[in-house]
Amino acid sequence: MLDDDIAIVTGGAVGIGNAIARRFRDEGATVVIADIDEATGAETADDLGCEFQHCDVREYDQVQALVDGVVDDHGRLDVMVNNAGISSVTSVEEMDLEEWEAVLETNLDGVMHGTKAALPHLTESNGCIINLGSIYGLVGGKGAASYSAAKGGVVNFTQQVAIDYADEGVRVNSICPGFVETPMTEELLESERFYNFLEQKTPMDRHGQPEEIAPVAAFLASDDASYITGANVPVDGGWTAF
Ligand code: NAD
């Protein structure tokens, strides 16, 4: 249980972040959803009985204002979930430089921004960070050059910060999902060609649901995970075991 914990979930308006926010709320946490999509974010927060803050994770000043504002309002921060992300399935040759920058800024800089802003507060609360990596941070993906580079960065950054802050009582882990049905993937999962590929690569022969990621986040945030730090946990139906 996450009774009385104060948590921030970036990119919590839809998809995996939404499911994590819901699960944390159900386990007794006070949850602040932060998202660039103001309309959907506010609607989701209303639905869940959570707070909403507009924030673009690419902008450090906005992330710092978000985190400091939550600590001002609630007295502390216990869990920072760096979940906001965008996808890209473009190979190096096809990709323009703007796309590379956008993916790296959101998926890697965004995680660093959340981590940097949250750490001074998490050392006070003995809190934890949960980053959203990907199977594409652990193994190669097909035609996903910028996404894999960013997620590989998240995986290594997670380990690095875990090492640097273990002495200060902050645990840092990532979840590395396989393909999960969210607005990010809905088009891809409708393609028969892609689904055949997914079934070939996934021992469990199916994609996942956000509700299969959220309990892992809740576990990593809980005292039951008190000896776990620097772990990049695949939740992928066996994709990376293959
Ligand atoms: P999604 O696209 O369904 O939702 C992402 C959320 O992030 C949206 O609410 C969006 O508005 C928000 N967002 C995007 N850019 C932002 C920014 N600059 N600042 C603040 N918010 C921003 O994505 P999802 O599938 O729920 O994925 C969540 C995380 O999990 C991402 O980091 C993604 O890379 C990762 N992931 C997803 C899958 C999958 O199959 N869905 C697999 C592996 C990893």
Side-chain angles (χ1 to χ4, degrees), residues 14 16 35-36 55-57 83 133 147 151 177-178 180 182-185:
V14 298
I16 291 171
D35 206 289
I36 198 171
C55 178
D56 180 345
V57 299
N83 164 79
Y147 189 81
K151 293 300 185 180
V180 176
T182 68
M184 179 182 277
T185 55

Side-chain angles (χ1 to χ4, degrees), residues 9-20 33-38 40-41 44 53-59 62-63 82-87 102 105-107 110-111 131-136 147 151 154 175-186 188-189 207-208 210 213 235:
V9 182
T10 68
V14 298
I16 291 171
N18 179 327
I20 291 174
I33 289 173
D35 206 289
I36 198 171
D37 179 345
E38 194 142 11
T40 314
T44 299
Q53 294 284 333
H54 176 266
C55 178
D56 180 345
V57 299
R58 293 170 297 182
E59 302 292 333
Q62 291 191 26
V63 180
N82 292 310
N83 164 79
I86 58 173
S87 78
E105 280 172 8
T106 307
N107 294 6
V111 169
N131 297 323
L132 265 292
S134 165
I135 50 171
Y136 282 6
Y147 189 81
K151 293 300 185 180
V154 170
I175 299 173
C176 294
F179 281 86
V180 176
E181 189 177 347
T182 68
M184 179 182 277
T185 55
E186 62 189 357
L188 202 57
L189 293 175
H207 64 270
I213 308 298
V235 186

Side-chain angles (χ1 to χ4, degrees), residues 135-136 177-180 189 194-208 212 235-242:
I135 50 171
Y136 282 6
F179 281 86
V180 176
L189 293 175
F194 178 77
Y195 213 87
N196 289 338
F197 168 69
L198 183 148
E199 282 179 328
Q200 256 178 27
K201 296 280 290 180
T202 312
M204 289 181 75
D205 279 345
R206 66 172 178 86
H207 64 270
E212 293 177 294
V235 186
D236 63 358
W239 181 299
T240 50
F242 211 4

Side-chain angles (χ1 to χ4, degrees), residues 157-168:
F157 182 69
T158 298
Q159 291 174 326
Q160 186 60 52
V161 182
I163 293 165
D164 290 343
Y165 283 83
D167 281 354
E168 302 211 39

